[in-house]
Amino acid sequence: RTAHRTRGRAPLALGSPQCVGNQDEAGLTVVGPSTPLTVTGADPPAGTPPVASGLSISQFAVDQGPLATVTAPQALGRLADGRRLVRFRSVDRVTNTESEQSRTVVLDGTPPQTTLLWPAPGGSGLCAVITGVQTVRGTLTDRHLLRYRLEVGAGLAPAGYAVVVGPTGVEPQTSVSGVLGSWDTSQGPQGWVTARLIGEDCVVNASTASTPVYVGQPTVQVLTPAGLGQPGYVAVATAAAADGGL
């Protein structure tokens, strides 16, 4: 008879998305709310002849929470952002219990702060009217900022969008402000369009800033109430802005 007294080993496997943290995070792994964390155990053979009872259970906890038996990958969900202590261990079929192990990760569940400065609405009750090549301006901020892109779709509620700037990688910067790229408005839908700036971090948290704009030269219409000869209102053009807007 061979007694099996070897404890199992339960390493922690981190799935995607993940990335390496900033310098002030000491190179810890950054994970998102949905990143799978898997306790992958093994029960090494021991004795003569070597025998292994096999793993019975794996246990998992976060921070100071109680260890609980798990049978599937876990995720940190909507816990507060920051460093999180993940604790885990395994127990084999003859109740040999592994010493508790732990690993610190950085949880990031916050999307970038994204602002589209141009193109932008023309003000209260007005729209921006643009032509030609436009200089896209905006700001993006995030501790783990990865990239941004500008997309344009036809209409005020587009069925789909096309990328007109980017995707542009910005790692390892945590903030981008000013000129983001150029948009040739002649290459795409004309008339009413929706432009949206999308910022994304390294664990796929994303945010969007959007605005309606009018691409091309507007038409002047004089509308009159039915049966009357006097115009109800007249649409007139204003002076053109320096970069093609009105």
Side-chain angles (χ1 to χ4, degrees):
R1 177 180 298 179
T2 300
H4 180 68
R5 299 186 177 87
T6 303
R7 299 170 180 173
R9 293 193 298 268
L12 183 70
L14 307 182
S16 296
Q18 61 167 279
C19 65
V20 178
N22 299 323
Q23 289 184 349
D24 61 344
E25 293 166 334
L28 295 172
T29 300
V30 180
V31 298
S34 62
T35 301
L37 313 178
T38 306
V39 182
T40 58
D43 186 32
T48 305
V51 294
S53 67
L55 287 181
S56 174
I57 60 173
S58 295
Q59 298 179 320
F60 178 95
V62 179
D63 297 331
Q64 301 308 311
L67 285 164
T69 298
V70 295
T71 59
Q74 304 297 296
L76 297 183
R78 290 301 173 184
L79 295 175
D81 285 4
R83 299 190 185 197
R84 292 291 176 181
L85 181 67
V86 179
R87 299 160 34 235
F88 51 96
R89 70 181 180 186
S90 67
V91 180
D92 69 16
R93 292 177 180 172
V94 291
T95 69
N96 294 311
T97 302
E98 175 188 24
S99 298
E100 183 179 298
Q101 301 187 63
S102 65
R103 179 172 179 178
T104 300
V105 299
V106 178
L107 174 62
D108 182 354
T110 303
Q113 295 180 359
T114 303
T115 304
L116 183 58
L117 300 175
W118 185 262
S124 178
L126 300 175
C127 69
V129 179
I130 59 177
T131 60
V133 177
Q134 295 292 307
T135 299
V136 179
R137 300 184 181 91
T139 62
L140 302 102
T141 303
D142 190 273
R143 286 183 58 81
H144 309 113
L145 189 61
L146 179 62
R147 56 182 167 240
Y148 66 82
R149 65 186 184 275
L150 182 75
E151 298 180 341
V152 172
L156 300 180
Y161 287 85
V163 177
V164 295
V165 174
T168 302
V170 297
E171 220 176 8
Q173 300 177 76
T174 59
S175 180
V176 176
S177 181
V179 175
L180 303 179
S182 296
W183 167 26
D184 185 351
T185 64
S186 68
Q187 305 299 310
Q190 304 292 294
W192 282 108
V193 304
T194 300
R196 65 181 187 183
L197 176 65
I198 300 175
E200 184 179 325
D201 68 17
C202 68
V203 286
V204 301
N205 298 306
S207 61
T208 301
S210 62
T211 185
V213 294
Y214 192 94
V215 176
Q217 296 297 333
T219 57
V220 176
Q221 294 180 316
V222 177
L223 304 181
T224 60
L228 297 178
Q230 299 299 319
Y233 69 84
V234 178
V236 296
T238 61
D243 55 1
L246 293 182

